Amino acid sequence: MGNTSSMLTQYDIEEVQEHCKHAFSQQEIVSLYQRFCQLDRSGGGFISADEFLSVPEFAVNPLSQRLLRMLDGLNFKEFVAFLSAFSPHVSLQQKIEFIFKLYDSDSNGKVAFHDMLDVLRDLTGQFISEQQREQVLTEVLEEAGYTKDSMLVLSDFVKIIFQTSCWNFEEPFLSIAFLLRKGVFALG
Amino acid sequence: MSLSLSFSFSLAPIRRREKKQQPTAMDTAGKLNSSSSELDLDRPNIEDYLPSGSSINEPHGKLRLRDLLDISPTLTEAAGAIVDDSFTRCFKSNPPEPWNWNIYLFPLWCFGVLVRYLILFPARVLVLTLGWIIFLSSFIPVHLLLKGHDTLRKKLERVLVELICSFFVASWTGVVKYHGPRPSIRPKQVYVANHTSMIDFIILEQMTAFAVIMQKHPGWVGLLQSTILESMGCIWFNRTEVKDREIVAKKLRDHVQGADNNPLLIFPEGTCVNNHYTVMFKKGAFELGCTVCPIAIKYNKIFVDAFWNSRKQSFTMHLLQLMTSWAVVCDVWYLEPQLLRPGETPIEFAERVRDIISVRAGLKKVPWDGYLKYSRPSPKHRERKQQSFAESVLQRLEEK
């Protein structure tokens, strides 16, 4: 399967665990490594954008290009750290931070109107006109107490996403726990 | 996850019809309705199958900032795909658990290796060489000398091809159990089977001389294809040629009309899959207007994993691997012929037959086109997701 050495030593596993702040168990890290080797077909120790896009389920996702900017050229340690936002053992604050980082494309700690517009464009494509998108965004921003020129920071995001009364704490948020739990790396 | 997939399969035909009746909110200058290539029409709504983040599509009341900023369902889907996806699973050959790990079993395993490589393998090579000698010494004269007597020549060629395939199967110690009525030579019928390796063809050819439609291969396989298989009436296609599809479709139609052409065998998956899953069937075989006879093939993995991963192994290596294993054990089921039902589209027909084959052979169905191995999915699928999100946003904006 993988041309790279598919053997992880105990030391490697612990190092990766440290790096992702214990978001995954050792068994999960081994499974993720198998998956990493499977995707890394060229055996270069990192997964290229092309190799990610060869997974059809990922390629049809509207946010795939945005995620690829964060994923391209990651080695295994960084790959696990990236996925740690989706672990059930990570705090909600950290998950929102991941979403924030995705919006904040220039990494200046602030999300502006055009950042939010960019993501909305990725999600809606050609099915809403640009003008209507701006209008919708402005409307909901104003309704939430912000303006078109507001720069949102992480704490704003946390407040916005958690504040609604229909927030359900039982439902998993940003979690791939069900996949890891099933141990889907075996066939079937 | 597989449970939810099978559930949505039963819903799929119903949901698809419902989708057609809903007018699209944004009918912008007909841009939505054009599909970029003919390849798109092959696949029904994949959205019906994919476990999608449902909260995007379930509008609850007025649109708020939170609904636009919370992209977690889409992100979870993406992360889920990165960690495990049903497409890659189809082409993964899981090596069996090593059983030779202790002091008693290891020498036994070593002994087994010696027997396989030093006794069985040479014996098999001998059998195969013998078979080829007999075959070539009969086939070449028959082919060249009986040019005038076509029916007799065809009959002899059929028998000879079945013979050489039996030799091939013997060279892997193939134990094939055939179930069901043997195929007969009749016009207006086509056989379809699931595809695991090129040896599928040899195993089926051993019983009946089929005319198959295959990709032209390079090397010695290509040579065999252009000489021997040509005489069986085989049809070639080229995956990369777009115009090729129409030419091939015509050839197929002509072939099934002919009363003494060999029965046509098609592998509608279009690529080799690992014998645990089936990928989407191409509709080409199902719109010829004739009876479709499904054949299910299942290999027993205990003896050898017959999956040919054409990206990792050449066919020669694959054959050598088979010849140095203990045996190739498989079951072949000839299933009940199916006809297109009134009101059924070819795609639905293909799915129905795929269902029949998958159930018989114990394979799981996967909603992906095998050709995604070589190309990216069409933007149509992403656009559909975008469209449904856009519609829900606009709809919720209206609500006060």
Side-chain angles (χ1 to χ4, degrees):
Chain A
M1 264 197 289
N3 306 339
T4 52
S5 67
S6 311
M7 293 310 297
L8 271 187
T9 67
Q10 182 63 24
Y11 180 70
D12 293 326
I13 297 177
E14 283 171 8
E15 200 188 319
V16 171
Q17 234 187 355
E18 273 300 318
H19 190 79
C20 72
K21 304 195 184 57
H22 294 266
F24 294 109
S25 73
Q26 298 202 350
Q27 182 52 46
E28 287 167 345
I29 291 181
V30 171
S31 303
L32 283 172
Y33 188 68
Q34 278 175 9
R35 175 64 173 180
F36 186 84
C37 291
Q38 189 185 54
L39 290 175
D40 177 19
R41 267 195 290 260
S42 55
F46 63 93
I47 309 178
S48 66
D50 226 23
E51 285 164 343
F52 273 115
L53 288 174
S54 71
V55 175
E57 239 169 274
F58 180 77
V60 302
N61 193 292
L63 294 174
S64 54
Q65 287 304 322
R66 199 160 265 270
L67 284 167
L68 276 178
R69 254 176 266 157
M70 296 167 78
L71 279 170
D72 198 8
L74 292 185
N75 64 19
F76 180 60
K77 222 165 52 169
E78 294 158 356
F79 176 71
V80 175
F82 173 87
L83 287 176
S84 60
F86 297 87
S87 152
H89 307 294
V90 152
S91 71
L92 282 173
Q93 172 89 4
Q94 284 174 280
K95 290 176 192 272
I96 306 267
E97 201 175 323
F98 180 84
I99 297 183
F100 186 81
K101 271 205 284 239
L102 204 73
Y103 272 92
D104 184 15
S105 46
D106 49 11
S107 313
N108 60 358
K110 292 198 264 269
V111 167
F113 186 77
H114 69 87
D115 289 323
M116 290 185 274
L117 200 64
D118 286 339
V119 173
L120 191 59
R121 194 179 306 121
D122 284 339
L123 288 175
T124 53
Q126 59 191 169
F127 300 95
I128 299 188
S129 70
E130 188 67 19
Q131 199 188 22
Q132 230 173 342
R133 256 195 291 268
E134 286 190 27
Q135 191 196 343
V136 168
L137 197 54
T138 318
E139 239 178 79
V140 290
L141 270 173
E142 278 166 8
E143 198 246 352
Y146 298 95
T147 68
K148 204 170 156 181
D149 305 310
S150 309
M151 304 283 257
L152 298 172
V153 289
L154 183 57
S155 51
D156 290 314
F157 258 69
V158 175
K159 198 172 62 170
I160 295 166
I161 294 184
F162 284 146
Q163 68 159 187
T164 45
S165 50
C166 58
W167 176 257
N168 182 1
F169 281 94
E170 303 301 314
E171 225 174 85
F173 179 76
L174 214 66
S175 170
I176 49 170
F178 66 98
L179 279 178
L180 295 170
R181 210 184 304 133
K182 252 191 84 177
V184 273
F185 301 94
L187 279 172
Chain B
M1 211 190 323
S2 49
L3 213 67
S4 65
L5 272 178
S6 54
F7 182 66
S8 33
F9 284 157
S10 58
L11 282 181
I14 304 171
R15 285 199 359 221
R16 220 180 301 133
R17 259 173 253 139
E18 280 175 6
K19 266 201 166 160
K20 276 194 205 139
Q21 281 151 21
Q22 263 174 23
T24 50
M26 297 294 298
D27 243 319
T28 51
K31 249 170 87 175
L32 303 180
N33 307 320
S34 62
S35 31
S36 36
S37 74
E38 217 202 332
L39 225 55
D40 300 348
L41 300 172
D42 271 342
R43 300 174 230 135
N45 291 343
I46 288 197
E47 313 322 309
D48 293 342
Y49 301 109
L50 283 179
S52 58
S54 52
S55 42
I56 299 181
N57 304 326
E58 282 166 19
H60 293 301
K62 193 168 176 308
L63 190 70
R64 325 237 352 226
L65 182 58
R66 180 207 183 270
D67 304 308
L68 291 186
L69 286 187
D70 181 10
I71 48 175
S72 61
T74 316
L75 283 183
T76 315
E77 251 179 68
I82 293 175
V83 165
D84 182 35
D85 75 295
S86 49
F87 185 70
T88 318
R89 261 188 274 158
C90 292
F91 305 101
K92 193 171 132 179
S93 43
N94 252 16
E97 285 288 313
W99 58 272
N100 55 0
W101 44 267
N102 73 15
I103 191 140
Y104 307 105
L105 297 175
F106 190 68
L108 194 66
W109 178 77
C110 286
F111 177 66
V113 169
L114 289 174
V115 168
R116 278 188 288 135
Y117 279 81
L118 299 180
I119 302 178
L120 287 182
F121 181 62
R124 288 169 175 172
V125 170
L126 215 65
V127 165
L128 196 59
T129 324
L130 188 67
W132 273 107
I133 295 175
I134 298 177
F135 175 74
L136 287 172
S137 58
S138 328
F139 189 83
I140 296 177
V142 165
H143 192 75
L144 296 174
L145 300 177
L146 289 181
K147 274 244 159 71
H149 315 267
D150 266 347
T151 27
L152 180 63
R153 182 172 76 144
K154 270 199 167 167
K155 219 159 137 200
L156 286 177
E157 284 177 350
R158 266 186 212 131
V159 168
L160 285 175
V161 169
E162 287 176 20
L163 182 73
I164 185 63
C165 289
S166 310
F167 268 104
F168 257 112
V169 173
S171 76
W172 321 310
T173 316
V175 178
V176 186
K177 214 155 159 215
Y178 297 94
H179 311 258
R182 306 294 176 255
S184 45
I185 299 181
R186 275 198 301 221
K188 310 272 279 166
Q189 73 176 358
V190 95
Y191 287 85
V192 300
N194 59 312
H195 200 27
T196 307
S197 157
M198 281 233 281
I199 69 174
D200 290 339
F201 164 64
I202 299 179
I203 286 175
L204 291 178
E205 192 82 356
Q206 181 192 219
M207 182 56 65
T208 328
F210 284 111
V212 83
I213 160 171
M214 337 163 94
Q215 168 93 22
K216 215 30 172 335
H217 283 88
W220 63 272
V221 182
L223 181 64
L224 288 185
Q225 284 181 321
S226 32
T227 48
I228 299 165
L229 296 183
E230 193 79 44
S231 70
M232 294 281 102
C234 290
I235 300 174
W236 315 117
F237 71 85
N238 192 342
R239 245 173 228 144
T240 48
E241 272 295 309
V242 177
K243 277 263 159 49
D244 196 55
R245 291 182 55 140
E246 291 149 21
I247 305 174
V248 169
K250 177 153 194 320
K251 284 193 202 164
L252 289 180
R253 266 192 293 265
D254 291 338
H255 189 106
V256 291
Q257 304 297 333
D260 20 270
N261 284 336
N262 290 328
L264 188 61
L265 173 65
I266 300 182
F267 294 108
E269 285 173 311
T271 188
C272 293
V273 185
N274 69 3
N275 209 228
H276 283 265
Y277 297 92
T278 48
V279 295
M280 305 272 290
F281 278 10
K282 302 212 170 309
K283 64 177 177 163
F286 300 90
E287 46 184 18
L288 297 170
C290 50
T291 327
V292 170
C293 311
I295 304 178
I297 309 177
K298 178 77 177 165
Y299 292 89
N300 190 330
K301 252 179 114 169
I302 300 179
F303 295 93
V304 76
D305 184 359
F307 169 49
W308 177 39
N309 193 340
S310 52
R311 280 189 293 199
K312 294 232 161 87
Q313 266 181 330
S314 70
F315 189 56
T316 319
M317 285 311 299
H318 176 63
L319 276 187
L320 287 177
Q321 188 200 340
L322 291 177
M323 285 170 80
T324 53
S325 320
W326 288 109
V328 170
V329 177
C330 67
D331 282 288
V332 173
W333 290 275
Y334 295 104
L335 302 169
E336 196 184 320
Q338 303 291 324
L339 275 169
L340 187 70
R341 292 200 182 134
E344 205 181 28
T345 66
I347 296 181
E348 287 170 353
F349 185 30
E351 275 299 287
R352 188 163 60 88
V353 172
R354 178 160 85 118
D355 205 27
I356 295 173
I357 293 181
S358 308
V359 163
R360 179 67 267 190
L363 307 172
K364 295 205 181 71
K365 289 162 58 173
V366 147
W368 299 107
D369 180 340
Y371 279 8
L372 287 174
K373 250 197 206 170
Y374 312 102
S375 64
R376 298 274 171 265
S378 113
K380 200 172 72 138
H381 302 114
R382 185 184 310 153
E383 283 173 11
R384 212 176 276 124
K385 285 179 189 271
Q386 290 176 325
Q387 186 184 2
S388 78
F389 183 65
E391 280 172 18
S392 101
V393 163
L394 290 173
Q395 191 181 13
R396 292 179 65 178
L397 203 58
E398 303 302 311
E399 291 179 30
K400 282 301 171 221

